[in-house]
Amino acid sequence: MSFSRCALLWARLPAGRQAGHRAAICSALRPHFGPFPGLLGQVSVLATASSSASGGSKIPNTSLFVPLTVKPQGPSADGDVGAELTRPLDKNEVKKVLDKFYKRKEVQKLGADYGLDARLFHQAFISFRNYIMQSHSLDVDIHIVLNDICFGAAHVDDLFPFFLRHAKQIFPVLDCKDDLRKISDLRIPPNWYPDARAVQRKIIFHSGPTNSGKTYHAIQKYFSAKSGVYCGPLKLLAHEIFEKSNAAGVPCDLVTGEERVTVQPDGKQSSHVSCTVEMCSVTTPYEVAVIDEIQMIRDPARGWAWTRALLGLCAEEVHLCGEPAAIDLVTELMYTTGEEVEVREYKRLTPISVLDHALESLDNLRPGDCIVCFSKNDIYSVSRQIEIRGLESAVIYGSLPPGTKLAQAKKFNDPNDPCKILVATDAIGMGLNLSIRRIIFYSLIKPSINEKGEKELEPITTSQALQIAGRAGRFSSQFKEGEVTTMNHEDLSLLKEILKRPVDPITAAGLHPTAEQIEMFAYHLPDTTLSNLIVSGNSLSNRF
C-alpha cells in the first residue's frame, strides 16, 4: 500500500462506527509519476490501519524503508590524519570490535529508542561495518575512538553516536520522523478542503440502475445553474456533456488530462466546465456540481479522485449519480463534514432480459449487437472476424483518442449508417449513450492487477455485469427492450448466477495525499529517491 501509485483506500467510518470495515487501499500516484522503481510490488495492497481517529500512532512498517547508499571514503588528499595522530587501524581488530558492538543487547535497545527496530538495526549495522572496513581513511573522531577501543582505553558502546549518525544517513526518515508523521497524517481528509468546508453544501444522491434517468436529472440541474462543473469517469463522457451543454446554449469548457478547450471567443473561462474527475478544481466556486458514477470511489487506482471531488468541490449543490451500493458510504463520509445526503431513487425505464441461448457464432449477429471484450487482443480478433463476414463494426476501447471514440459511437448510433455492430470493452458501462439492442459477453473473465502488481484473471463482479448489461435497450434509443447473453454457451449459466447476486455495499473509498503533503515530505528528505519517499510516507501515515 502506498502514498504511492496511489490511493490509500480510506476506511469509511468515523470512530466507533463499524470498525471492522475500516480498510485502506492504495491506489495511484502512478498516473502522475509512472511506476516507481523500488516499490514493494509496485502496486497498492490492502491494509487495515492501526491508529484510530482519536490520535493513536501506528508502528511504521519498516520493511518498506529502502536504505540509501553511503560510499566508503577513498584516500584523502590530506592523508590519514587519524593514523598520524594515533596509529593505522588493524582491520582484524576493528572487525572484532564491530561484531561485539552488534551483539550488545544494550546497543540494540538504545537503537530501538531512536526508531531502529531489529530489521533497520541490522541493515544499518551491515552498512556501517562495510563503510568502516572498506574506507581507505576515516574521519579523525571515529578513527581515534576505534583505536582507543582496540587498546582497551574506551568502551565499545562509545561507537553508538557514530553508528547512529550513519544510520540516519542511510535512513534519513529517522532524523525527522516526528515532523514527517505530522505531515503524513491522513486521518481527517475533510480538513484538507477549507474552501468546501466554508460552503453549506446540499448533497443530492441520484440512485438507481443503468438507464434509469438519474444522470439526466442531475444534468438538467447543471444546465439550469448559473455555474457548474460536471465530473465524469471517462474523457468520452466529458466530451459528451461538453457538446450537449454547448448545443443547449450553455457555454461550457472542456478539461481532461489531454485537452483544454475554451469556447468563449475572448478565451475566458466559461461558467460551466465538463471534466474528467481527476481534473476538477476544488478551489473554484460553482452553483451546481455533478459527480458521475460515484461508486467508482472504491476503485483501487482512481477512487481517490472521487473522494477528492466529493469532499472538496465548492458547490452549493453537489449531485451524485451512481449505484445504491454507495449510499451508505457517501452518507458516512458526509457525516464527517456535517452535511446531510438527500437520496432520490430511480427505477429502470426499459425492461431487460437474459436470454436462454448464447450467440455461439458471429454468424448469428444482428443489427444493434454489442460484443463486450476484456482485452485488446479479443477486440482486434472479433472485429477482424466480423469484417471477414462482410459486416461493418464500430470499435470502442479505453485508450482510443476521445475524438475517435466519439466518431465510432456516432457511427454506430446513426440509423442510416451501415455499421450496425459494436465491439467494445467495459468502458461502455460508464454511462455512454449507445443504441444497443443486445449485449454479448465475449468472456466473463477480466484481467486485473492485484496488490502485488501481479496480473490476475477473475470473473467480473455483479456490479460490473449490471453496469455493462444495462447498456442494452436504452430509453432514448431505437431499441426499447434490452437483451443480454454470452458468446459461449458454457458462460451463460455463470452470467445468470452473477447477475442474481446482490451487490455488496461499498465500504471503502480511495484517498490520496495532497500535493502539499508530498512536497513537504520531499523538503524534509531532499536526497531521497521518489520511490523511497513514497513508501516512507505510506509507512508513517496515520489513517483510521
Side-chain angles (χ1 to χ4, degrees):
M1 187 174 67
S2 79
F3 239 54
S4 89
R5 268 171 79 152
C6 235
L8 305 165
L9 267 206
W10 179 24
R12 70 181 178 97
L13 305 171
R17 291 194 172 204
Q18 298 184 23
H21 286 146
R22 292 182 187 158
I25 260 190
C26 275
S27 142
L29 287 179
R30 187 171 79 176
H32 306 287
F33 296 108
F36 300 122
L39 284 183
L40 187 62
Q42 295 195 2
V43 75
S44 59
V45 298
L46 285 168
T48 300
S50 59
S51 62
S52 69
S54 59
S57 293
K58 70 183 182 68
I59 299 172
N61 180 5
T62 60
S63 66
L64 298 176
F65 288 7
V66 181
L68 301 180
T69 301
V70 178
K71 295 181 179 179
Q73 292 187 169
S76 172
D78 298 328
D80 193 344
V81 178
E84 293 175 9
L85 292 177
T86 55
R87 62 161 192 157
L89 293 173
D90 183 334
K91 294 291 186 178
N92 290 327
E93 290 296 319
V94 170
K95 185 175 183 302
K96 292 178 182 178
V97 168
L98 293 173
D99 289 344
K100 184 177 180 181
F101 174 83
Y102 176 74
K103 295 175 182 178
R104 291 270 297 166
K105 296 296 184 184
E106 292 80 2
V107 169
Q108 294 175 14
K109 185 178 183 302
L110 190 58
D113 292 340
Y114 285 91
L116 289 166
D117 61 13
R119 180 184 174 279
L120 294 189
F121 183 87
H122 177 75
Q123 281 190 296
F125 174 76
I126 296 299
S127 177
F128 181 61
R129 184 179 63 186
N130 290 341
Y131 174 80
I132 296 294
M133 299 300 293
Q134 296 174 16
S135 292
H136 288 274
S137 61
L138 296 169
D139 292 338
V140 175
D141 51 0
I142 191 170
H143 184 109
I144 292 175
V145 169
L146 282 169
N147 182 72
D148 288 349
I149 295 173
C150 290
F151 270 95
H155 195 276
V156 68
D157 290 358
D158 293 340
L159 273 178
F160 186 81
F162 304 100
F163 166 73
L164 183 61
R165 181 176 66 188
H166 185 90
K168 289 182 177 181
Q169 281 182 279
I170 68 170
F171 295 116
V173 67
L174 297 172
D175 207 24
C176 49
K177 187 168 59 176
D178 291 340
D179 289 337
L180 295 178
R181 196 186 297 276
K182 292 176 182 177
I183 295 168
S184 58
D185 192 338
L186 307 179
R187 288 175 294 180
I188 314 178
N191 290 354
W192 300 351
Y193 308 102
D195 293 340
R197 300 291 75 77
V199 180
Q200 187 56 45
R201 304 186 307 171
K202 182 178 181 180
I203 312 297
I204 301 168
F205 195 124
H206 300 267
S207 165
T210 56
N211 194 24
S212 60
K214 58 184 184 297
T215 305
Y216 170 83
H217 286 89
I219 292 299
Q220 293 308 305
K221 291 291 294 185
Y222 167 82
F223 288 160
S224 63
K226 295 178 181 177
S227 61
V229 58
Y230 169 81
C231 305
L234 300 174
K235 293 188 285 283
L236 189 55
L237 277 176
H239 268 271
E240 187 175 294
I241 298 302
F242 165 72
E243 292 186 345
K244 282 185 175 181
S245 184
N246 286 295
V250 180
C252 176
D253 295 338
L254 174 69
V255 178
T256 71
E258 298 173 351
E259 294 178 281
R260 303 287 191 283
V261 180
T262 55
V263 297
Q264 300 287 6
D266 55 5
K268 290 184 179 179
Q269 292 184 353
S270 302
S271 58
H272 287 67
V273 61
S274 179
C275 63
T276 45
V277 66
E278 286 89 349
M279 304 304 297
C280 71
S281 169
V282 291
T283 57
T284 305
Y286 300 102
E287 183 178 337
V288 168
V290 177
I291 306 176
D292 208 355
E293 305 294 348
I294 186 63
Q295 71 276 358
M296 288 287 289
I297 199 170
R298 66 182 163 197
D299 188 78
R302 299 179 64 203
W304 62 270
W306 274 265
T307 303
R308 173 177 173 270
L310 178 61
L311 296 178
L313 282 173
C314 304
E316 296 172 26
E317 288 188 13
V318 179
H319 291 260
L320 313 175
C321 306
E323 298 176 4
I327 293 176
D328 288 345
L329 173 63
V330 168
T331 302
E332 291 290 353
L333 294 186
M334 294 301 93
Y335 176 85
T336 68
T337 66
E339 296 165 324
E340 294 185 358
V341 179
E342 176 187 337
V343 178
R344 298 179 184 175
E345 297 181 349
Y346 301 81
K347 302 295 183 182
R348 184 175 171 87
L349 299 174
T350 57
I352 188 169
S353 59
V354 182
L355 301 180
D356 291 325
H357 57 274
L359 187 69
E360 299 289 0
S361 170
L362 295 178
D363 294 329
N364 298 323
L365 286 171
R366 304 195 309 256
D369 279 348
C370 172
I371 301 178
V372 177
C373 306
F374 294 114
S375 75
K376 276 189 182 179
N377 287 339
D378 287 344
I379 287 272
Y380 297 144
S381 174
V382 170
S383 59
R384 280 197 302 268
Q385 292 179 56
I386 292 174
E387 185 178 347
I388 290 172
R389 286 166 169 78
L391 301 173
E392 285 192 41
S393 65
V395 176
I396 296 177
Y397 56 86
S399 57
L400 274 179
T404 305
K405 280 189 263 190
L406 279 172
Q408 292 288 297
K410 288 179 179 178
K411 181 179 180 181
F412 175 71
N413 285 339
D414 186 351
N416 299 317
D417 195 288
C419 174
K420 301 300 181 185
I421 308 297
L422 177 63
V423 183
T425 64
D426 53 335
I428 65 163
M430 293 297 176
L432 297 181
N433 289 314
L434 296 165
S435 187
I436 299 171
R437 179 204 303 269
R438 180 171 57 171
I439 288 286
I440 303 159
F441 286 92
Y442 190 73
S443 168
L444 296 176
I445 304 300
K446 182 179 179 180
S448 62
I449 303 298
N450 66 15
E451 296 84 1
K452 297 180 180 180
E454 301 165 341
K455 188 174 181 179
E456 288 186 343
L457 298 174
E458 294 183 343
I460 58 175
T461 65
T462 299
S463 176
Q464 292 168 337
L466 289 170
Q467 282 283 102
I468 298 168
R471 297 303 143 195
R474 292 188 64 82
F475 180 73
S476 58
S477 76
Q478 59 180 306
F479 305 115
K480 301 307 179 184
E481 293 186 13
E483 298 174 342
V484 184
T485 188
T486 59
M487 182 68 190
N488 301 307
H489 180 74
E490 55 267 26
D491 289 336
L492 192 55
S493 59
L494 176 58
L495 175 62
K496 291 181 178 179
E497 180 187 338
I498 290 174
L499 291 173
K500 286 180 181 178
R501 294 173 188 164
V503 178
D504 294 330
I506 298 172
T507 59
L511 185 63
H512 190 302
T514 65
E516 290 76 16
Q517 285 173 307
I518 299 170
E519 185 178 357
M520 286 298 294
F521 223 84
Y523 172 80
H524 281 77
L525 303 173
D527 298 321
T528 303
T529 63
L530 179 59
S531 59
N532 201 359
L533 184 77
I534 296 302
V535 293
S536 297
N538 170 63
S539 179
L540 287 171
S541 63
N542 283 326
R543 300 178 291 280
F544 286 87

